[in-house]
Amino acid sequence: TGTELWRRKLKPSPFVTISFDGRSLFAAAAGQVFCLDPSTGDIRWQNKLPRLGTGVVSFADSTQAGIASAMAARAIATSTAAAAATAG
């Protein structure tokens, strides 16, 4: 209830992106990706992404819920486009 459980220093970076898949917490900072234990904050692994720069890293959702959501959004967009084509 608002109590900090742990804190982990990563690479100094003006931007940090995070993603949680239910088992692992992924964080990216200064062009490196880290996999953290969500209970302890311990680093499970890290990838320095050699020769890929230090820009902002974006995570995609590959969970079943994320995939289902993307498929539903595509179906809605397809239905909307088909209805507009029929009406026009």
Side-chain angles (χ1 to χ4, degrees):
T1 60
T3 303
E4 185 175 304
L5 300 177
W6 53 264
R7 183 179 296 227
R8 170 66 54 199
K9 284 193 175 228
L10 301 174
K11 300 296 285 182
S13 176
F15 299 102
V16 175
T17 54
I18 61 170
S19 181
F20 179 65
D21 72 356
R23 298 178 311 264
S24 298
L25 179 65
F26 301 93
Q32 293 189 36
V33 176
F34 300 84
C35 177
L36 306 171
D37 182 308
S39 299
T40 64
D42 291 340
I43 296 175
R44 292 179 177 165
W45 55 261
Q46 75 183 77
N47 186 331
K48 295 182 180 179
L49 302 175
R51 298 179 304 282
L52 295 178
T54 58
V56 176
V57 174
S58 177
F59 293 104
D61 187 352
S62 63
T63 63
Q64 291 294 345
I67 293 168
S69 177
M71 291 174 69
R74 182 173 182 198
I76 290 168
T78 302
S79 296
T80 302
T86 303

